[in-house]
């Protein structure tokens, strides 16, 4: 299903398309993966527009897209299941970044990206509290610094390493990870 995450008016149509695909079982896994890393990253060059654009893609869209998908996620969480919270039952994964960690920020700069992803983490944490009795796992994951267009040529891991690690981590998630902030390799990140 193709979509533009900042086109909030398209959400009902997207949710309907997904609902037609998943049917009565509901949606067991929503991964909000869209991200924007503006090029004007340092204090001298960051602009209000870059900040707004990053917040729109990295924080606002995941919040409201998740809210639009809640009926399908709740349907999946309500299916007969012997499992606690998990991606096999119903889960919301917000793709964050380690640079959103206030405690781990030793490099400065990257204002729009850092701030918008820190705000995403706060949305995720609030959502984990608000949905605590719904059986839906909610957490944030850092995919690693990946060799992609966004990650650039100096990134540390391949897409294969990232995806393999994320799939292993996703498969292991449970109640203990509700509201957590983890790396792709299942290690915690300080807030």
């Amino acid at each position: 299903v193709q979509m533009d995450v900042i086109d909030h008016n398209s959400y009902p149509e997207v949710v309907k398309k997904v609902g037609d695909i998943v049917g009565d079982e509901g949606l067991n896994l929503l991964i909000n993966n869209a991200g924007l890393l503006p090029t004007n990253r340092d204090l001298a060059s960051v602009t209000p527009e870059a900040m707004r654009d990053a917040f729109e893609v990295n924080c606002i869209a995941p919040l409201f897209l998740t809210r639009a998908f809640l009926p399908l996620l709740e349907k999946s969480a309500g299916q007969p299941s012997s499992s606690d919270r998990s991606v096999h039952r119903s889960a919301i994964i917000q793709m964050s970044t380690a640079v959103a960690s206030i405690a781990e920020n030793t490099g400065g700069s990257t204002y729009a990206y850092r701030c918008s992803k820190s705000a995403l983490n706060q949305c995720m944490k609030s959502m984990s509290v608000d949905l605590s009795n719904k059986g839906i796992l909610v957490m944030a994951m850092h995919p690693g610094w990946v060799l992609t267009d966004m990650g650039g040529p100096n990134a540390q891991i391949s897409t294969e390493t990232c995806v393999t690690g994320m799939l292993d981590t996703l498969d292991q998630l449970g109640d203990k990870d509700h509201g957590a902030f983890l790396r792709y390799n299942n290690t915690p990140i300080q807030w």
Side-chain angles (χ1 to χ4, degrees):
V1 176
Q2 282 191 322
M3 68 174 300
D4 178 352
V5 296
I6 62 172
D7 180 5
H8 300 271
N9 293 327
S10 71
Y11 291 3
E13 181 183 338
V14 171
V15 171
K16 183 183 180 328
K17 285 181 183 177
V18 172
D20 290 345
I21 294 167
V22 299
D24 292 337
E25 293 183 16
L27 180 64
N28 69 299
L29 179 59
L30 174 64
I31 300 177
N32 284 308
N33 190 49
L36 177 67
L37 174 59
T39 57
N40 47 349
R41 299 177 188 168
D42 64 14
L43 183 58
S45 65
V46 68
T47 63
E49 293 78 20
M51 294 294 290
R52 281 191 286 274
D53 291 346
F55 267 83
E56 182 67 41
V57 172
N58 297 340
C59 179
I60 296 168
L63 171 64
F64 289 97
L65 185 60
T66 299
R67 187 174 75 179
F69 273 109
L70 270 179
L72 294 179
L73 290 156
E74 289 173 339
K75 187 183 287 188
S76 182
Q79 295 293 317
S81 171
S82 60
S83 69
D84 292 327
R85 289 185 189 103
S86 75
V87 298
H88 306 288
R89 182 175 178 194
S90 185
I92 300 162
I93 310 299
Q94 306 289 21
M95 293 309 298
S96 186
T97 175
V99 302
S101 168
I102 294 169
E104 294 184 10
N105 182 355
T106 59
S109 197
T110 321
Y111 289 92
Y113 191 63
R114 283 186 195 274
C115 293
S116 62
K117 289 293 190 168
S118 292
L120 172 68
N121 290 350
Q122 187 65 269
C123 284
M124 177 282 299
K125 184 61 179 176
S126 290
M127 193 176 294
S128 73
V129 172
D130 292 342
L131 301 178
S132 64
N133 64 347
K134 300 284 188 178
I136 301 171
L137 173 69
V138 182
M139 60 88 61
M141 184 176 290
H142 167 55
W145 188 13
V146 187
L147 289 161
T148 62
D149 289 343
M150 182 185 278
N154 297 323
Q156 298 172 334
I157 63 172
S158 69
T159 53
E160 292 80 11
T161 299
C162 169
V163 171
T164 300
M166 283 177 49
L167 289 173
D168 288 345
T169 297
L170 289 170
D171 195 48
Q172 296 173 43
L173 296 176
D175 282 337
K176 69 186 183 326
D177 304 302
H178 187 66
F181 183 19
L182 301 174
R183 287 180 176 81
Y184 72 99
N185 61 2
N186 207 7
T187 56
I189 298 175
Q190 298 178 69
W191 294 105

